[in-house]
Amino acid sequence: MRTVLVTGPGGAGRTTLAAATALAGARRGVRTLLLTTGGGAAEAVLGVPLDADAPTPVAPGLHARRVDPADRFRQEFLAFQERAGAALDLLGAAPLDEDELTELPGSEDFALLQALRAAHAAEDWDLVVVDMPPAAETVRLLALPAQVRRYLRRLLPLERQAARALRPVLAQLAGVPMPAQKLYDAAERWEHELAGVQRAVDDPGTSVRLVTDAGPVAAAALREVRAGLALHGRRTDALIVNRLLPTGSADPFLAALSGSQQSALKALREEFPDVPVHEVAHLGGDPQGLAALEELTGTAADAAGTGAPAEGPVRDPWTVEDRLAGDGILVWRVPLPGAERRGLGLVRRGDEIVVTVGRYRRIRTLPSALRRCSVSGAGLRDGVLDIRFTPDPELWPKSD
């Protein structure tokens, strides 16, 4: 199964290119599902209304589903309210009714992740194309499952469940109810769902596809996004440059605009030297309907053939290089293409290390060998952050 997460700066046409990518997959005889929260925008592009409850047939081999964040939010909130009933009663809180619930900011992202997990688990599709939020939000969204799982392990560690048999006794002694087992049950359910999302995101067949226009700041705008994706181990399989005007126009205005786009296109190729860059011509308007999308399927099909999914298990891109014999250090190599020194941060906290790249941050647990070392330096060169570790004599095994 292949999963393509289509994102890019706002207004770059990612919904249109996501639909074209899905249609190109279906035209190749691949069972394809398009997931979108775009609602009206996606329906206008596809030319058909979409169902929120089940995938809607759009074309031979192509189905699309509109993810409804409001319905998902109501279901989750009511289920949580039921599980937390005892605690709410203790606080004297009045439960909320279904008809007074409206989704909160961020609920759309959670609903999209849940839909991705469900599609990945169903195994009914060969290709799932996801119309993701704007690029900066997508980076944070793809990092969310691992971050929330870490929070759950810290706040509700599994080993503390061993004390649940003592809660009735403690409740009698304290005179108030103790935290219910339902709290841990809810945490286990969240852990299960988040683990499913992370499996889908981490799958070797999952990649990110960036859509951008050829504006004067396109390369700079995507530089930090690319570094953020790399920080969290996300693979970028292609860059699609949208709405390119034809060159050689006799009109001075169009010629100048086209020249500016070509300069931006050159900068994007230099910024992404190891990523296939595909050009999409401006169609003179916004494509609406399958007939218009057909004009984009050639580019989408070319892009779909790039970055073939890796075979075998997922390999951690953060690798440890042993330089003990020559330099007396171990080096943790972190690929960060697009990262710049001015936005880079590095902090060690116990057995964890916190790496910050611009607005993005990731916390990683140190490999066992590096836990017995101290950080002795770091350097960024050619898109790779090298973190140097020196063995701690008090912790490192001593040879006889």
Side-chain angles (χ1 to χ4, degrees):
M1 176 176 168
R2 187 87 189 277
T3 302
V4 179
L5 311 175
V6 182
T7 185
R14 65 181 185 279
T15 297
T16 300
L17 268 299
T21 300
L23 182 60
R27 292 289 186 255
R28 298 197 315 271
V30 174
R31 298 174 303 166
T32 304
L33 173 67
L34 172 66
L35 293 175
T36 180
T37 57
E43 291 176 341
V45 168
L46 294 170
V48 296
L50 300 180
D51 194 346
D53 298 323
T56 301
V58 176
L62 173 60
H63 288 69
R65 181 188 165 199
R66 173 177 55 85
V67 179
D68 184 359
D71 182 64
R72 174 68 181 174
F73 176 80
R74 284 191 294 269
Q75 293 177 15
E76 288 294 325
F77 188 91
L78 291 172
F80 169 77
Q81 188 171 252
E82 182 180 354
R83 291 190 296 270
L88 294 175
D89 289 342
L90 177 64
L91 297 172
L96 296 172
D97 295 326
E98 180 177 357
D99 58 5
E100 61 181 314
L101 291 175
T102 56
E103 71 271 24
L104 297 175
S107 58
E108 181 176 286
D109 297 339
F110 281 98
L112 189 60
L113 288 179
Q114 191 277 336
L116 172 59
R117 180 195 66 80
H120 199 268
E123 298 183 350
D124 293 331
W125 315 100
D126 302 312
L127 172 64
V128 175
V129 180
V130 186
D131 176 19
M132 299 292 289
E137 297 176 32
T138 290
V139 176
R140 288 189 284 264
L141 181 59
L142 296 179
L144 191 63
Q147 291 174 339
V148 176
R149 293 178 74 191
R150 179 178 177 272
Y151 297 156
L152 287 175
R153 288 192 293 269
R154 288 287 297 272
L155 296 173
L156 295 170
L158 293 177
E159 56 268 19
R160 289 189 183 177
Q161 295 192 53
R164 61 189 177 191
L166 298 177
R167 289 184 192 133
V169 178
L170 295 175
Q172 292 180 0
L173 293 175
V176 295
M178 291 290 105
Q181 176 60 26
K182 287 185 178 181
L183 181 61
Y184 284 94
D185 293 340
E188 288 180 9
R189 189 176 71 88
W190 292 336
E191 164 66 24
H192 175 74
E193 291 209 7
L194 289 167
V197 173
Q198 193 163 357
R199 281 193 298 271
V201 171
D202 290 343
D203 190 276
T206 298
S207 60
V208 177
R209 185 159 303 168
L210 295 175
V211 176
T212 184
D213 57 16
V217 296
L222 288 179
R223 185 175 300 130
E224 189 176 74
V225 168
R226 187 188 184 199
L229 289 170
L231 175 66
H232 293 285
R234 305 298 163 223
R235 182 171 64 94
T236 302
D237 69 4
L239 173 66
I240 302 179
V241 187
N242 198 16
R243 303 184 185 126
L244 287 172
L245 296 171
T247 58
S249 173
D251 185 297
F253 175 79
L254 292 179
L257 187 55
S258 174
S260 175
Q261 286 188 334
Q262 291 300 312
S263 297
L265 179 61
K266 180 182 178 182
L268 285 166
R269 291 188 183 278
E270 293 173 350
E271 186 68 35
F272 291 81
D274 54 340
V275 175
V277 177
H278 300 271
E279 304 175 23
V280 177
H282 202 303
L283 301 183
D286 294 329
Q288 294 190 0
L290 296 181
L293 280 182
E294 290 283 2
E295 298 186 53
L296 302 176
T297 55
T299 299
D302 291 341
T306 64
E311 297 181 358
V314 180
R315 297 181 59 185
D316 188 350
W318 295 33
T319 57
V320 178
E321 184 176 327
D322 188 343
R323 298 184 189 173
L324 290 174
D327 303 322
I329 60 173
L330 296 171
V331 179
W332 206 5
R333 309 207 72 202
V334 183
L336 292 177
E340 298 177 312
R341 286 185 176 87
R342 63 181 179 181
L344 205 59
L346 189 65
V347 176
R348 178 172 181 176
R349 296 182 52 201
D351 289 341
E352 295 179 326
I353 199 158
V354 184
V355 182
T356 303
V357 179
R359 72 183 80 178
Y360 307 113
R361 175 176 297 176
R362 187 179 185 185
I363 302 175
R364 284 288 305 264
T365 300
L366 294 172
S368 57
L370 300 184
R371 296 174 200 172
R372 303 194 296 269
C373 304
S374 57
V375 178
S376 54
L380 179 67
R381 183 177 181 182
D382 297 329
V384 178
L385 174 64
D386 287 339
I387 310 173
R388 298 184 294 275
F389 291 81
T390 302
D392 187 332
E394 299 297 325
L395 301 177
W396 198 260
K398 298 179 175 59
S399 58
D400 296 333

